[in-house]
Amino acid sequence: MNKIMKKVEHIMKNNLLSRIQDKKANITIWGAGYIGLSTAYHFALVGFRVKIFDTNHRLIQNLLEGNLPFKIDLDEEIFSELIFKKSILPEVVEHADTYSNEIQIICINTERNGVPISKPLTTVLDNITTVSEQLVIIESTISPNWIDTIVRPKLNDLQYLALAPRRDWFLETGLNLKTLPRVIGTLGSNYRMEVLKLYEMLSDVVIEVTDAYHACLVKAVENSIRYINVVFANEMMRAFPKYNIAEIFNAASTKWNIPYYHPSIGIGGYCLPLAPKYILDAVDDSKELSMLRESVNSDLKQSDFITDLVKSYNCQKVGVLGLSYAPETKIWKNSPAISLIHSLLRNGMEVKINDPYYSSEEIQEITTVQSFSLNSESLQEFDILIIATSHKSYDGELERFLFDLDKEIIIFDNFGVNKNLSRLPNIHYFEIGNFQYNESRR
């Protein structure tokens, strides 16, 4: 009997491998966010027919009309063609006709309010059905202990697990699924070759690690390395307030093996602030990874540090430029601007926000504070402007409006992108990490 089962498995494995090579394998993708859409796009681009599920009705309707709902490193015209040719088939989850395709790729969000959560993953695994052998590939970021505690109990004997975590930088052209080395790992040796061949069709370089556990941990480790170093830059700024720490880190980065880390108002995004939490979730001993734990605690202090600086300049009315966590995006979740705004409000300051990517209603709903228009008249009411996100629309325009002010105003510039503002006679300009530069003008 065992020999018969192994023979059947061998035939099915060979069949799936050939179907992958012939681009006839049926692929289902769960989640139509940044990860899911780009995965669907690249698989369809090389010739696969892909279904993509999501619970968001409006999002799916936009996709069916050939529209990308957010900025992403894809060719919008080609994307529309793939939709209309039905190479990509977006569906609302509850309307989907089958969840049993032979390749299931999970690209759902596994965090809420900056905390890893497993419920969305559990929900997807509960919905996947199978009538034959099936690959279940997780591209979402997860904690390695979730593999044993959440994923494996949901899989049956016909389902085989692989991890292929994403490491793209969606906001910069060229750093995408094709160009960046892709890390993969399987649970056991079954279907190892199938997973490898599948991703070799998408990525120029595929790195196969020991197993799914190792692949899972790679994503969290690489982001935690960067996280710890950014926290260090911020701690240096707090410890040496009279030094130009931005300049020091810039000079240090000229050493061949040291990247540049700029002090900031805080760490934001989907990856960096969450990576340590996925690692710590898998560690039982609270005495282990003390440096990582302390880095998380230190990062929580950054907003209050910036608020104290604002208070030290006797500022009461604060204008914040930028709600998104990165320029040219409409992503506010895990934005350090949110934490800073809350800190300022807790300390009794009056705060208003401008972000060209959000309506007044959206800003009010997200932050509870009012928005303001960017013009000379509206800027008159503020004691200080904090440039949290340097959107391109601020270039030139902000300098022109500030030049017309008939009052002095302080500028805190998150990454020093707007150094040109320091030339204006009525501006007290401070790059975050360089609060000693204009000390004489306080």
Side-chain angles (χ1 to χ4, degrees), residues 320-331:
V320 177
L321 294 175
L323 177 60
S324 300
Y325 92 92
E328 316 317 314
T329 66
K330 191 179 181 180
I331 306 174

Side-chain angles (χ1 to χ4, degrees), residues 192-258:
R192 183 189 66 80
M193 185 57 66
E194 284 77 2
V195 176
L196 182 62
K197 293 300 181 185
L198 182 69
Y199 281 100
E200 284 180 341
M201 291 184 174
L202 300 191
S203 302
D204 294 336
V205 177
V206 178
I207 300 169
E208 185 182 14
V209 296
T210 301
D211 54 28
Y213 301 96
H214 285 71
C216 176
L217 202 52
V218 167
K219 170 73 177 289
V221 166
E222 62 193 21
N223 282 315
S224 291
I225 290 170
R226 180 165 176 78
Y227 179 87
I228 288 170
N229 282 282
V230 175
V231 169
F232 175 56
N234 288 338
E235 287 186 338
M236 286 293 292
M237 172 175 62
R238 301 200 299 255
F240 295 90
K242 295 188 180 297
Y243 283 75
N244 185 344
I245 296 300
E247 178 185 65
I248 289 170
F249 272 77
N250 185 43
S253 72
T254 61
K255 187 172 186 285
W256 60 271
N257 61 348
I258 298 180

Side-chain angles (χ1 to χ4, degrees), residues 22-286:
D22 295 338
K23 301 169 186 175
K24 293 181 179 179
N26 297 311
I27 298 176
T28 293
I29 294 172
W30 296 81
Y34 282 84
I35 292 176
L37 274 185
S38 58
T39 298
Y41 173 86
H42 284 282
F43 273 122
L45 201 60
V46 298
F48 288 94
R49 195 163 181 261
V50 182
K51 287 190 174 184
I52 183 165
F53 297 156
D54 203 280
T55 57
N56 187 324
H57 290 245
R58 183 182 296 178
L59 173 60
I60 293 298
Q61 186 57 44
N62 276 329
L63 297 177
L64 288 169
E65 293 170 0
N67 300 320
L68 282 170
F70 35 71
K71 181 181 177 182
I72 190 170
D73 184 17
L74 306 178
D75 186 307
E76 293 191 36
E77 188 174 329
I78 293 176
F79 177 81
S80 297
E81 290 177 7
L82 293 171
I83 291 287
F84 295 133
K85 285 165 52 181
K86 298 190 182 302
S87 296
I88 300 176
L89 300 167
E91 296 185 38
V92 178
V93 170
E94 57 262 37
H95 298 162
D97 58 2
T98 178
Y99 303 149
S100 59
N101 281 349
E102 56 205 320
I103 300 176
Q104 303 279 330
I105 303 178
I106 301 174
C107 302
I108 45 88
N109 187 5
T110 55
E111 67 84 24
R112 293 289 186 276
N113 301 318
V115 178
I117 60 166
S118 59
K119 186 176 180 181
L121 177 62
T122 303
T123 301
V124 169
L125 291 169
D126 285 339
N127 276 289
I128 294 175
T129 58
T130 182
V131 293
S132 61
E133 294 204 327
Q134 182 183 70
L135 284 179
V136 178
I137 303 172
I138 300 177
E139 293 194 353
S140 304
T141 305
I142 66 172
S143 175
N145 71 324
W146 292 6
I147 295 175
D148 287 335
T149 60
I150 295 166
V151 181
R152 292 183 69 176
K154 296 289 184 180
L155 301 181
N156 60 45
D157 293 339
L158 295 175
Q159 293 172 307
Y160 296 89
L161 178 68
L163 268 288
R166 293 291 291 273
R167 62 211 314 211
D168 316 39
W169 176 236
F170 296 107
L171 308 178
E172 186 170 333
T173 303
L175 299 180
N176 54 40
L177 191 152
K178 178 174 173 54
T179 61
L180 293 173
R182 189 61 179 272
V183 175
I184 63 167
T186 58
L187 193 63
S189 60
N190 285 323
Y191 290 92
R192 183 189 66 80
M193 185 57 66
E194 284 77 2
V195 176
L196 182 62
K197 293 300 181 185
L198 182 69
Y199 281 100
E200 284 180 341
M201 291 184 174
L202 300 191
S203 302
D204 294 336
V205 177
V206 178
I207 300 169
E208 185 182 14
V209 296
T210 301
D211 54 28
Y213 301 96
H214 285 71
C216 176
L217 202 52
V218 167
K219 170 73 177 289
V221 166
E222 62 193 21
N223 282 315
S224 291
I225 290 170
R226 180 165 176 78
Y227 179 87
I228 288 170
N229 282 282
V230 175
V231 169
F232 175 56
N234 288 338
E235 287 186 338
M236 286 293 292
M237 172 175 62
R238 301 200 299 255
F240 295 90
K242 295 188 180 297
Y243 283 75
N244 185 344
I245 296 300
E247 178 185 65
I248 289 170
F249 272 77
N250 185 43
S253 72
T254 61
K255 187 172 186 285
W256 60 271
N257 61 348
I258 298 180
Y260 179 41
Y261 300 101
H262 195 291
S264 66
I265 63 172
I267 302 175
Y270 285 117
C271 296
L272 259 62
L274 285 156
K277 298 175 184 177
Y278 286 108
I279 292 176
L280 295 173
D281 183 75
V283 179
D284 293 328
D285 189 345
S286 61

Side-chain angles (χ1 to χ4, degrees), residues 297-349:
N297 293 331
S298 177
D299 187 36
L300 295 174
K301 302 173 184 177
Q302 192 65 6
S303 294
D304 287 340
F305 170 75
I306 300 298
T307 296
D308 287 342
L309 282 172
V310 173
K311 289 165 63 177
S312 73
Y313 286 87
N314 299 315
C315 297
Q316 181 61 30
K317 296 184 177 181
V318 183
V320 177
L321 294 175
L323 177 60
S324 300
Y325 92 92
E328 316 317 314
T329 66
K330 191 179 181 180
I331 306 174
W332 62 267
K333 289 185 177 180
N334 303 322
S335 170
I338 301 290
S339 298
L340 177 57
I341 290 163
H342 290 163
S343 177
L344 292 167
L345 292 173
R346 283 196 306 270
N347 283 269
M349 297 179 195

